[in-house]
Amino acid sequence: MFYPTFRARRIRGNETFRRMVKETTLSVTDLIYPMFSAFGKGIKKEIGSMPGIYQQSIENVLEEAQEVFELGVPAVILFGIPEVKDAIGSDAYAEHGIIQETIRALKKEIPGLAVITDVCMCEYTDHGHCGIIKDGDVDNDATLELLARESLSHVQAGADMVAPSDMMDGRVAAIRETLDNNGFSKIPIMSYAAKYASGYYGPFREAAESTPQFGDRRSYQMDPANRLEAVREARMDVEEGADILMVKPGLPYLDILRELREEFDLPMAVYNVSGEYSMIKAAGLKGWIDEDRVVMETMISFKRAGADLILTYHAKDVARMLKAGNVIY
């Protein structure tokens, strides 16, 4: 097809036709909103590097979660800030830990809201790493037992789905076996299948108070240069029983998202991480970009690349725009 026989602007020039032939769509039901639950009362502490996002005690988590639910966002994912951290992250799997108590409160007050929990140790360990330390590094197999205990404790408290983010080898199988053996075979696992060792996590580490006290996480999170490794990681998670695969971060790894979408037929999620959120927020506050437009363009890029679900701190704003019919992309 060549000009002048074919003129693409015939369609583009008519707003109705533009909407009718739109290839990719975004819905509020695609969104998952991350929340940070903190031990204590009366806490609503804005995260300095993430305007509009807070560490909150349970009563304030409930208030915001109600707002999220009324906007039509179907699910939240929880991260915890415990009262005390220790070398083995014991609050992560404590019966009355911060996340376990938050789950119970949410399921009691807003039963229609799906509660997903991040399963990792970094928020709960005093060293900030994602598992048990041995000889200066995370001991993979010793950590699996704790991740399985953490997942079970979340589900026993009422979680609807668990999402392991630790990147330990074999963690999906360990969690699946533990859940199945304890009568929770119906609980799905959303695996952080391709989680890269990224500089985009900086603001999250402030939010979750999870900065490593020594070294870094490159021995267990993926090398940003690797593409085929992501396919191998995802394939292992599929074979171990994952129900949903996730790519994290989002924007710098859209090629990985597309690669996994074409390789696997499971639902795909993407995490629009803290650094991505903070950059858009900062530029928007400076007036350098049209924030709403860039947010929506970012969301549609995830959908176009193959995501079914988007974990994003922009979820409330996106829901409001969609509700208002303000689809500006």
Side-chain angles (χ1 to χ4, degrees):
M1 296 187 291
F2 298 98
Y3 167 87
T5 303
F6 175 73
R7 293 177 180 265
R9 292 182 63 187
R10 290 174 183 141
I11 300 297
R12 294 179 195 155
N14 184 299
E15 183 61 32
T16 299
F17 293 154
R18 279 168 60 94
R19 292 198 305 270
M20 290 173 68
V21 302
K22 189 182 298 293
E23 297 177 24
T24 306
T25 58
L26 176 68
S27 167
V28 69
T29 57
D30 301 329
L31 306 175
I32 299 170
Y33 185 56
M35 303 188 75
F36 299 93
S37 186
F39 180 86
K41 297 287 186 182
I43 298 169
K44 188 170 184 179
K45 177 184 175 184
E46 187 170 32
I47 298 155
S49 56
M50 299 179 70
I53 305 299
Y54 299 85
Q55 291 181 349
Q56 300 179 99
S57 48
I58 291 175
E59 76 277 11
N60 289 321
V61 168
L62 290 174
E63 182 177 347
E64 187 179 26
Q66 183 65 47
E67 177 190 8
V68 168
F69 185 61
E70 291 175 358
L71 284 167
V73 176
V76 297
I77 183 166
L78 299 178
F79 300 87
I81 296 92
E83 180 183 20
V84 177
K85 303 188 180 194
D86 57 33
I88 58 173
S90 56
D91 196 88
Y93 42 88
E95 181 180 357
H96 296 289
I98 181 59
I99 289 298
Q100 291 79 358
E101 291 299 313
T102 306
I103 296 165
R104 293 185 183 100
L106 283 169
K107 296 311 294 184
K108 178 181 179 181
E109 298 297 327
I110 318 172
L113 181 69
V115 176
I116 305 168
T117 58
D118 177 80
V119 174
C120 194
M121 306 300 295
C122 62
E123 300 125 89
Y124 308 97
T125 56
D126 54 13
H127 47 73
H129 279 281
C130 299
I132 300 297
I133 299 298
K134 182 178 180 181
D135 299 327
D137 195 9
V138 175
D139 185 311
N140 191 98
D141 294 1
T143 299
L144 295 183
E145 179 182 351
L146 299 188
L147 295 170
R149 288 179 63 186
E150 180 182 9
S151 298
L152 180 60
S153 73
H154 290 176
V155 173
Q156 288 172 331
D160 299 293
M161 180 187 295
V162 293
S165 65
D166 55 283
M167 288 303 286
M168 296 299 114
D169 296 333
R171 88 269 203 211
V172 172
I175 292 169
R176 184 75 275 158
E177 181 180 13
T178 296
L179 294 181
D180 290 357
N181 288 345
N182 286 274
F184 295 107
S185 61
K186 293 182 179 180
I187 297 295
I189 297 173
M190 177 167 63
S191 169
Y192 289 64
K195 181 179 178 180
Y196 286 86
S198 173
Y200 284 84
Y201 302 148
F204 174 89
R205 291 176 181 174
E206 176 190 353
E209 300 179 4
S210 61
T211 302
Q213 299 303 300
F214 63 89
D216 54 42
R217 295 177 176 147
R218 287 184 294 178
S219 75
Y220 44 102
Q221 294 179 359
M222 288 178 55
D223 186 335
N226 292 356
R227 177 180 64 85
L228 295 178
E229 184 183 11
V231 179
R232 293 196 298 271
E233 285 279 4
R235 184 173 293 115
M236 285 191 293
D237 287 355
V238 171
E239 292 172 354
E240 291 177 15
D243 300 283
I244 300 173
L245 301 175
M246 188 199 299
V247 173
K248 181 182 181 183
L251 284 174
Y253 299 94
L254 291 176
D255 60 321
I256 305 301
L257 177 58
R258 169 51 58 184
E259 183 93 17
L260 298 190
R261 170 72 290 158
E262 293 180 352
E263 185 74 21
F264 303 102
D265 59 5
L266 289 182
M268 290 296 308
V270 65
Y271 203 137
N272 178 213
V273 301
S274 59
E276 299 168 48
Y277 172 87
S278 296
M279 288 191 299
I280 289 176
K281 277 292 182 184
L285 288 169
K286 286 285 189 179
W288 293 340
I289 60 171
D290 180 333
E291 181 180 325
D292 287 352
R293 185 171 182 176
V294 170
V295 167
M296 295 301 279
E297 189 174 342
T298 299
M299 297 302 115
I300 209 69
S301 77
F302 295 138
K303 293 287 290 183
R304 192 182 63 245
D308 300 294
L309 304 172
I310 304 169
L311 291 77
T312 179
Y313 303 96
H314 296 291
K316 292 195 297 181
D317 291 338
V318 172
R320 291 188 187 101
M321 285 188 274
L322 290 171
K323 190 173 184 178
N326 191 17
V327 184
I328 44 179
Y329 53 79

